Amino acid sequence: MPYAEISSPDDDRIADYRALTDVELRTRWEPPNGLFIAEGELVINRALRGGYRLRSVLVDEKRAGQLTGIPEDALVYGGTQPVLEAITGFHVHRGVLASFHRQPPRELTEVLAGARRLAVLEGLNTHTNLGALFRSAAALGIDAVVLSPDCADPLYRRSVRVSMGEVFAIPYAKSESWPETLAAVRAAGFTLMAMTPGPGTVPLASLTEQQRARPALLLGAEGPGLTRQAMEASDVRVAIPMHHGVDSLNVATAAAIAFYELSRA
C-alpha cells in the first residue's frame, strides 16, 4: 500500500479528515463532495464489503503495518496521535479512519420493491439514534429504511460508528416529498403503523396476521414524535405497553423492540 507520513494538520492530502467533530461543517462538506468517513477497521471492512469505493486511509503511525483487509492500492497516510487529533478534532481511539466515495442514492421504488418489512423515519435528526436504529434494523429483520427529508445523514461518521457499519447492510432511500411518500409506501402494499404513546393505539403484540404481512413501522423524533400529517396517513397506531408510569422509550430502543415483534414468526 502506498504510504506517506503526515506531519502537519494543514497538509492538503488529508483535507477529507479535517474538523470531524464540527457537524455543520461536515454536513456542508461530505454529501456535496460525495464522501463519508468511516472509523475503525471493523466498520471500514464492512464498508468495503458493502461495495463502497475507498478514497484514502488515515492511521496512527504505530498501526500502519497492522491494517487488514485494505486494498493494496489504497492511499494510506500516517501520523502521530497529536497530529491526528489536530487534524480531526478528537482522539482517534480506534487508530484508523477512512474516506469513502458515496454510492448513488437509491430510488424509493427500488427500496420498496425489495422489502417485506420496512422502517419509515420522520424527522429523526440525532445521529446516534439513527445509527443505533440501523444496527437494530439489520439485526432484527427489517429489510429497508425510508427517511423523511429532514432526517439526519446515515453516513455521517457518528451514525456509521454507532451502527457498527450496519448502515451499509440496509438499503435506504431519502424522500424528496413529505408526507406524500407515505402514500407511496401504502400504495406499494405496506401497512403503515404509526408508533406513538398517544391514545387510540393497538399493542404491537395484538396486530393481525394481515397487518404483519408487510409492515412499515413509522417512527418520529425524540420529543415531538410524529407529525399530525404522518399520524393521519397511517393505517394503524401502535404502542409498546408501558409500566410504572413511564410514558415512552428512547426511539432507538422502542424501534428495536418493535422490530423484534414484527419479525417474529
Side-chain angles (χ1 to χ4, degrees), residues 75-224:
L75 295 172
V76 179
Y77 302 111
T80 63
Q81 271 292 344
V83 170
L84 266 56
E85 188 167 346
I87 294 166
T88 64
F90 70 100
H91 182 78
V92 185
H93 300 286
R94 291 168 178 81
V96 58
L97 299 161
S99 177
F100 282 91
H101 294 275
R102 291 177 180 244
Q103 295 176 348
R106 286 184 171 89
E107 295 292 332
L108 177 66
T109 51
E110 174 195 354
V111 167
L112 296 181
R116 179 188 164 196
R117 287 184 286 264
L118 197 65
V120 184
L121 312 181
E122 183 186 54
L124 210 68
N125 51 22
T126 304
H127 293 102
T128 50
N129 281 337
L130 190 63
L133 193 147
F134 264 87
R135 188 178 184 185
S136 296
L140 298 170
I142 299 301
D143 302 311
V145 176
V146 174
L147 304 104
S148 70
D150 55 347
C151 278
D153 178 11
L155 294 183
Y156 180 68
R157 178 181 58 89
R158 195 169 296 142
S159 296
V160 171
R161 186 189 68 212
V162 172
S163 80
M164 294 300 290
E166 297 302 346
V167 294
F168 311 129
I170 298 289
Y172 66 87
K174 198 156 192 175
S175 166
E176 295 182 357
S177 58
W178 196 268
E180 291 77 12
T181 291
L182 301 177
V185 170
R186 294 180 68 199
F190 290 91
T191 298
L192 196 60
M193 304 175 178
M195 196 161 190
T196 174
T201 59
V202 173
L204 276 164
S206 300
L207 290 169
T208 66
E209 187 174 339
Q210 183 177 358
Q211 289 171 322
R212 290 171 177 270
R214 293 193 77 196
L217 187 68
L218 180 56
L219 297 143
E222 296 274 339

Side-chain angles (χ1 to χ4, degrees), residues 194-204 218 223-227 231 234 236-242 246-249:
M195 196 161 190
T196 174
T201 59
V202 173
L204 276 164
L218 180 56
L226 294 169
T227 61
M231 297 279 278
S234 65
V236 61
R237 300 180 185 186
V238 297
I240 299 168
M242 299 286 172
V246 177
D247 63 350
S248 64
L249 296 170

Side-chain angles (χ1 to χ4, degrees), residues 21-117:
T21 56
D22 188 328
V23 178
E24 184 179 349
L25 175 64
R26 300 308 302 186
T27 300
R28 292 199 312 268
W29 169 263
E30 291 184 14
N33 285 283
L35 65 92
F36 69 90
I37 302 298
E39 182 180 357
E41 277 191 78
L42 174 65
V43 172
I44 291 168
N45 284 321
R46 284 180 175 169
L48 290 167
R49 288 202 300 272
Y52 289 87
R53 186 160 58 94
L54 187 65
R55 285 163 62 91
S56 66
V57 176
L58 180 64
V59 63
D60 184 327
E61 61 181 11
K62 295 177 182 177
R63 297 195 56 196
Q66 303 169 9
L67 295 177
T68 59
I70 305 298
E72 285 299 317
D73 60 349
L75 295 172
V76 179
Y77 302 111
T80 63
Q81 271 292 344
V83 170
L84 266 56
E85 188 167 346
I87 294 166
T88 64
F90 70 100
H91 182 78
V92 185
H93 300 286
R94 291 168 178 81
V96 58
L97 299 161
S99 177
F100 282 91
H101 294 275
R102 291 177 180 244
Q103 295 176 348
R106 286 184 171 89
E107 295 292 332
L108 177 66
T109 51
E110 174 195 354
V111 167
L112 296 181
R116 179 188 164 196
R117 287 184 286 264

